[in-house]
Amino acid sequence: MSPDDHTEQSNVPAQPGSVESMGTRHGMFGVSGSGDTSGYGGLVKQTIFPGANQRPYGGWYDEVADALEARLSSTGLMAAVEKVVIDRDEITFHIRRDDLPFVAQMFRDDDALRFELCSGVSGVHYPGDTGRELHAVYHLLSMTYNRRVRLEVSVPDADPHVPSIVSIYPTNDWHERETFDMYGIVFDGHPALTRILMPDDWPGHPQRKDYPLGGIPVEYKGGTIPPPDERRSYS
């Protein structure tokens, strides 16, 4: 199917056998022992990633991949791309951490690519993706060719360092700060990597999946509503 086709299958998840399983989630909010008053206690959901795709990808995806491979092969960096994933008519290039600045600049400057804009970097936390728990996802737009791609870098929680690309895409300045603040990904070389939403002395990173949910103060005799994982079950 061409990436330009918009059929009703475009939003269908990958078929079994073409995915990578990251484990199974039971319930919601990390509840254990005390019961679950959220209504999600019986939820059982497998966490999966779409698997890598093989050439040909179809449409302009192959044009982008050809330009990328030609440049990387000429510099001896073919290993910079760990895999390519196409899911729901979107293409993602998984890039090796140390090669991110070179690849990002190539996407920006190569005449066959010309992805002039990076609209930001998003953080994702997958506790079950052992050794690759933290993901940094970059969203690139080519205004020359009207194309969008993603670059994704995965790093371990124990070594959450990713090279900054602010010098290549200045629009990433505050986005890298937000991803650092919320997920704890350290962007080496950022001109001023400080928290942007939370106070400077705030403990932890609030959008990680293992971050405590917290409770809600209520103005009634000093009472509080506890977080979901600490509430009693009344059933």
Side-chain angles (χ1 to χ4, degrees):
M1 180 172 59
S2 167
D4 295 323
D5 294 336
H6 295 283
T7 68
E8 56 184 39
Q9 292 188 356
S10 63
N11 288 322
V12 175
Q15 296 299 311
S18 61
V19 298
E20 302 172 8
S21 176
M22 290 295 112
T24 303
R25 186 178 72 192
H26 296 270
M28 287 280 279
F29 308 116
V31 174
S32 61
S34 63
D36 182 6
T37 61
S38 69
Y40 290 95
L43 177 69
V44 178
K45 185 176 186 297
Q46 188 179 24
T47 302
I48 60 173
F49 292 162
N53 288 80
Q54 304 298 323
R55 303 287 298 270
Y57 304 135
W60 60 262
Y61 294 161
D62 285 297
E63 296 177 21
V64 171
D66 288 341
L68 180 62
E69 290 182 7
R71 188 70 173 271
L72 291 177
S73 62
S74 68
T75 55
L77 285 177
M78 286 298 292
V81 179
E82 297 175 335
K83 64 179 178 180
V84 179
V85 173
I86 299 175
D87 186 52
R88 295 171 172 84
D89 285 346
E90 297 177 337
I91 187 167
T92 302
F93 295 89
H94 290 253
I95 307 299
R96 193 168 58 181
R97 166 171 48 186
D98 293 342
D99 298 318
L100 174 64
F102 177 83
V103 173
Q105 184 156 358
M106 183 179 59
F107 266 94
R108 187 193 69 181
D109 296 343
D110 190 284
D111 289 337
L113 296 170
R114 301 298 296 165
F115 286 86
E116 300 95 343
L117 173 67
C118 179
S119 60
V121 55
S122 304
V124 193
H125 182 211
Y126 294 105
D129 193 9
T130 305
R132 301 164 61 90
E133 293 87 357
L134 294 170
H135 294 221
V137 184
Y138 302 82
H139 312 272
L140 306 185
L141 167 66
S142 169
M143 291 176 281
T144 298
Y145 299 110
N146 191 25
R147 297 168 174 173
R148 294 179 185 270
V149 301
R150 277 195 299 265
L151 307 183
E152 186 165 339
V153 177
S154 305
V155 296
D157 193 2
D159 182 23
H161 292 264
V162 174
S164 172
I165 59 171
V166 170
S167 62
I168 302 164
Y169 289 110
T171 49
N172 261 21
D173 190 344
W174 285 16
H175 292 277
E176 289 186 3
R177 287 181 58 194
E178 181 179 5
T179 304
F180 162 69
D181 194 356
M182 295 290 104
Y183 292 92
I185 299 176
V186 180
F187 293 93
D188 296 328
H190 188 282
L193 192 64
T194 57
R195 289 189 181 269
I196 192 171
L197 299 173
M198 309 304 292
D200 290 341
D201 58 351
W202 190 266
H205 304 282
Q207 288 192 345
R208 289 198 185 192
K209 289 186 173 65
D210 55 4
Y211 187 80
L213 296 175
I216 304 171
V218 293
E219 295 182 5
Y220 180 73
K221 297 182 179 178
T224 62
I225 299 175
D229 57 339
E230 297 178 7
R231 294 177 192 169
R232 293 171 55 194
S233 175
Y234 297 97
S235 60

